[in-house]
Amino acid sequence: MTLRTRLALGLVVIAFVLIVPLIVAHRSMQRLHSDITALRENEFQASLILGRLRDAIADVRAREVAVAVVKTDTVHVELQHALVRAGALADSLARFGVDSGAYRIGLDLDAIKPATDAEYLAVSTGEMDVADSLSQNTIAPALKAAERELAPVERALRARTEARVLHAEDGLTQAEQLSLLSLAVALAVAALVAFWLTRSISRPVRELEQGMRAVADGELQHTLHYDVNRRDEFGRLATSFVEMSRQLAELDKLKAEFVSIASHELKTPINVILGYLQLMQDGVYGPLTEQQVPIARTIQTQARTLARLAGQLLDVSRFEAGGGRIEPRAIRLSTMLDELEGTFHVLAVQRGVEFRVIRRIALLEEVLWDPERMNEVTGNLLSNAFKFTPAGGSVTLTAGPHEDGVCIEVRDSGAGIPAAQLPHVFEKFYQANNQKSASAKGTGLGLAIAKEIVEAHQGSISCESEVGVGTTFNILLPRVVRERRRTGPHHAAFAGGAS
């Protein structure tokens, strides 16, 4: 599945699961709306009619009393209209499921109508006894009966209203719970889909980023930790990455071989030049004139510089190509430190720099290293320290124990190296921008060679520096190193902080 398809599918699933809660909530709201509509059109409407019916019966009572007092046709007609209105309201009330109560009220009202006609006739003829008898014995009891029937109807409507409201509340609660549950499930599903999408994208991106960083740092054999044969864009990127790494590794190998061959081939003509210069200076081909002597000396100095540079290039290329060989043998550390102290004492006096060699307590007496190579490393670090330390400064060589090995520290109070340039000081031909403080220009190969030699001893070398304060190089080495030849990129196995 391609990345585009995966993204589209994930977005569709997320959109779908987020729409589901909306559908559930909409249906729940529809059910709630139906309950409220039924409540409004039934119980609420019945309650309104019941209230009007109560008022209508009271109106009938009042007009019935007025018939005996006013004794006019108008009052009688109004009474009949009030009875008709009350009867219509009773009939309307019967449509809302209260048939028995509304039916009895209707019967009571029907019984009143002929009695009111007879009462009006008696009042009109002056038969007040007959009228009073009809009012007290027929009309008044019928009205009281109708009013009594209103109470159970009202209770029934109240009970139905309460039941309907409770049902609506239950529906609202269920709708809320169901909506929240569906929303929680939808969010969980969306989160899982989003996590799947993020993981399927971020992991290859992170692996490719780490791979590019590793290649940029020179680790051309870096392996991507995901399936490079996957059928999507990341699979194609991984294939391109592998091919790029392979080509870079081939180019790096060709470069190292070229440098090695070129350096080796340069040594022969340089040695021939140095040999003939020595013969010329010895007068084998006749004496040199006064003008030729300084020229020959300058040529000899530059030729020796070329020879040293060719040797350094050859060393670096051999180590990078896996041909760097060390030959460990027993070394007394005290003797090695004494020789270094004696070698650089004269340089310290000449430069006006304080030079100290410190031996910490419990320092190992004997180690198994390649003495020539390690002398080259420490000598290179001390030379750099003196080169960047002005008169009045100090250079310190400290040796002490570290776990099952030795820590060698070279500290100076020189110009220092900017923090941004520290990660590059061990790269070939790299020179920090503090060269104006150096007493002599370098080639940029000394620290690269030192790093290769230290790592060939299964050790590590690091640098700490502060501009204007000084620089410290730390070397950590195991006590015993076996004779071996480097076969590829090496990562120091013996690492730790400075003692």
Side-chain angles (χ1 to χ4, degrees):
M1 185 185 298
T2 64
L3 180 60
R4 290 181 180 179
T5 304
R6 191 180 299 117
L7 286 172
L9 179 61
L11 292 175
V12 169
V13 172
I14 291 175
F16 175 76
V17 298
L18 291 179
I19 289 174
V20 169
L22 296 178
I23 296 175
V24 172
H26 178 68
R27 290 184 176 179
S28 300
M29 292 301 102
Q30 283 183 328
R31 287 195 295 270
L32 181 61
H33 180 267
S34 299
D35 290 340
I36 294 175
T37 301
L39 183 63
R40 184 185 68 243
E41 295 179 353
N42 289 281
E43 282 73 24
F44 285 174
Q45 190 71 22
S47 297
L48 290 174
I49 293 174
L50 181 63
R52 292 174 184 173
L53 179 58
R54 187 186 300 278
D55 294 339
I57 292 174
D59 187 44
V60 169
R61 181 183 295 278
R63 293 185 185 282
E64 188 272 333
V65 173
V67 167
V69 176
V70 179
K71 302 177 183 179
T72 63
D73 292 340
T74 302
V75 174
H76 179 64
V77 171
E78 291 176 352
L79 174 60
Q80 295 303 316
H81 287 166
L83 284 171
V84 172
R85 186 163 62 88
L89 289 172
D91 292 340
S92 298
L93 187 63
R95 294 199 302 268
F96 294 97
V98 287
D99 298 348
S100 59
Y103 177 74
R104 285 192 295 271
I105 292 173
L107 291 178
D108 291 334
L109 293 174
D110 290 340
I112 292 173
K113 185 175 181 180
T116 57
D117 291 337
E119 180 188 20
Y120 176 70
L121 181 60
V123 170
S124 299
T125 58
E127 299 177 358
M128 298 303 298
D129 293 337
V130 175
D132 291 339
S133 176
L134 288 171
S135 176
Q136 294 176 2
N137 298 323
T138 304
I139 298 174
L143 288 173
K144 287 182 181 179
E147 289 175 344
R148 284 196 301 270
E149 294 296 336
L150 291 175
V153 172
E154 185 177 10
R155 286 194 297 271
L157 283 176
R158 186 182 299 112
R160 284 172 50 181
T161 302
E162 291 176 353
R164 182 85 72 176
V165 170
L166 289 175
H167 182 268
E169 289 179 350
D170 291 341
L172 181 61
T173 302
Q174 292 177 1
E176 182 181 4
Q177 293 175 349
L178 186 60
S179 298
L180 290 176
L181 178 61
S182 60
L183 179 60
V185 172
L187 289 176
V189 173
L192 289 175
V193 174
F195 175 77
W196 171 69
L197 284 176
T198 303
R199 183 177 175 81
S200 64
I201 295 174
S202 63
R203 183 170 177 266
V205 168
R206 185 171 60 253
E207 290 293 336
L208 285 169
E209 181 184 8
Q210 293 176 353
M212 297 301 295
R213 189 182 300 115
V215 170
D217 291 338
E219 189 180 343
L220 301 179
Q221 304 300 323
H222 181 82
T223 302
L224 296 176
H225 298 291
Y226 74 89
D227 185 12
V228 298
N229 296 318
R230 52 192 294 174
R231 296 182 178 180
D232 60 6
E233 291 82 352
F234 289 118
R236 294 193 291 272
L237 284 173
T239 302
S240 300
F241 175 85
V242 172
E243 180 63 20
M244 177 193 69
S245 299
R246 185 188 64 80
Q247 293 182 6
L248 286 175
E250 291 180 357
L251 289 174
D252 194 64
K253 183 178 179 181
L254 289 174
K255 179 196 68 176
E257 291 177 353
F258 171 77
V259 172
S260 176
I261 293 172
S263 302
H264 186 270
E265 295 299 325
L266 282 173
K267 291 183 70 176
T268 299
I270 290 173
N271 287 333
V272 171
I273 292 172
L274 286 172
Y276 276 105
L277 280 171
Q278 187 63 47
L279 292 176
M280 291 174 65
Q281 288 175 337
D282 292 342
V284 173
Y285 301 106
L288 298 176
T289 64
E290 291 182 2
Q291 291 82 5
Q292 292 173 336
V293 170
I295 294 175
R297 190 180 301 117
T298 301
I299 295 174
Q300 186 179 45
T301 300
Q302 296 302 319
R304 286 176 178 171
T305 301
L306 282 175
R308 185 173 68 255
L309 177 59
Q312 290 176 336
L313 285 172
L314 188 58
D315 274 344
V316 171
S317 61
R318 281 175 177 172
F319 275 107
E320 289 185 343
R325 186 182 185 87
I326 60 172
E327 298 177 355
R329 58 179 183 272
I331 305 174
R332 292 187 62 81
L333 278 178
S334 58
T335 302
M336 175 182 169
L337 295 174
D338 289 340
E339 292 175 354
L340 288 171
E341 186 174 17
T343 300
F344 286 92
H345 175 73
V346 177
L347 182 59
V349 173
Q350 291 175 348
R351 298 283 178 84
V353 174
E354 180 187 2
F355 177 52
R356 293 184 301 161
V357 177
I358 300 175
R359 302 165 178 81
R360 296 197 184 278
I361 299 174
L363 179 64
L364 295 174
E365 288 292 332
E366 191 173 85
V367 293
L368 195 66
W369 299 343
D370 186 322
E372 285 78 17
R373 290 296 192 180
M374 287 312 302
N375 272 322
E376 182 180 353
V377 172
T378 51
N380 183 283
L381 295 180
L382 287 171
S383 296
N384 280 345
F386 279 105
K387 183 169 66 173
F388 289 99
T389 302
S394 63
V395 174
T396 304
L397 172 63
T398 304
H402 178 81
E403 296 181 359
D404 190 29
V406 177
C407 172
I408 298 176
E409 178 186 280
V410 177
R411 181 188 300 271
D412 66 61
S413 60
I417 303 171
Q421 300 180 17
L422 284 177
H424 307 288
V425 295
F426 295 105
E427 296 176 4
K428 298 189 300 294
F429 304 110
Y430 184 83
Q431 292 181 321
N433 59 8
N434 59 357
Q435 295 298 311
K436 61 183 180 181
S437 304
S439 59
K441 298 294 183 181
T443 61
L445 290 172
L447 291 179
I449 294 173
K451 183 175 184 292
E452 295 289 347
I453 294 173
V454 169
E455 291 184 350
H457 282 74
Q458 297 103 52
S460 67
I461 182 171
S462 61
C463 178
E464 298 175 0
S465 186
E466 184 176 351
V467 176
V469 177
T471 303
T472 301
F473 284 90
N474 289 294
I475 301 174
L476 301 175
L477 293 172
R479 182 176 62 86
V480 176
V481 178
R482 301 300 177 188
E483 180 178 357
R484 69 192 191 94
R485 183 186 300 272
R486 291 192 62 180
T487 58
H490 172 72
H491 299 278
F494 185 84
S499 62

